[in-house]
Amino acid sequence: MNWKTLLAIVLLVSSSAWMLFDGTRALIVGEYVTAKTGEYAGQLGPWSNLVRAAGLEPRSTLMKSIFVVNGLGILTLTAGYMLHRPWANNALLVAALLGLWYLPIGTLTNLISLILLLLTRRKAGSPRPRDEMPDFIQDALHKRGLMDAYLTRPPDQRNDYIGWITRPRLTATRQKRLKQMLDELKKGNVYMKMNWTPK
């Protein structure tokens, strides 16, 4: 993960964790965190004017709940992004866009995150590199009569098998893995020691 993506995630997590904390606290004790002294004592941030303009009372239970849901949602999407879930990339961009209402700090952090995420956007559906099948695997498949069984497997499974078998340096490890693949192809409903159902 590059520094831009990492910074975007740190900013999103910071902003959403604060909203989760502030909303939860407001639901429990009845009030958001505000300045205790000075000119702005007890006042909410500029976001409250935007919320009022939208017809919501900033100190209402609904608004406090929106804080909690927003914080939890963005934290969940961020976790999905970190785990490379396919849905999380676009969802995180939308979440950063929707978080722009939280003036001023949330607007700044979400805007920076949005820009950084767009700059480092993962290409959806970018093809994985395909490994060439070495002769010793091809010979073993033909010898055992399992080439058709191999070719009916999904492309990602076939590629995973090739990479998994050819990665080790020791011939003995390669042969052990080749044997496992051949046995699994013969059984037909196993992939990497897990149950697999052909579609």
Side-chain angles (χ1 to χ4, degrees), residues 7 55 95 112 139-140 172:
L7 179 58
I112 293 169
D139 292 344

Side-chain angles (χ1 to χ4, degrees), residues 20 55-56 70 78 98 103 116 137 139 145 159 174 193 196:
L20 177 60
L56 291 172
N70 187 71
T78 305
L98 293 175
L103 293 162
L116 292 173
I137 295 177
D139 292 344
N159 197 54
R174 288 180 173 203
K193 297 186 178 178
W196 175 73

Side-chain angles (χ1 to χ4, degrees), residues 17-33:
W18 174 256
M19 289 190 80
L20 177 60
F21 164 75
D22 202 18
T24 303
R25 180 187 182 279
L27 284 170
I28 294 169
V29 301
E31 182 59 285
Y32 298 101
V33 175

Side-chain angles (χ1 to χ4, degrees), residues 124-137:
S126 56
R128 291 167 54 185
R130 296 288 172 199
D131 294 309
E132 292 293 321
M133 182 187 289
D135 291 340
F136 77 95
I137 295 177

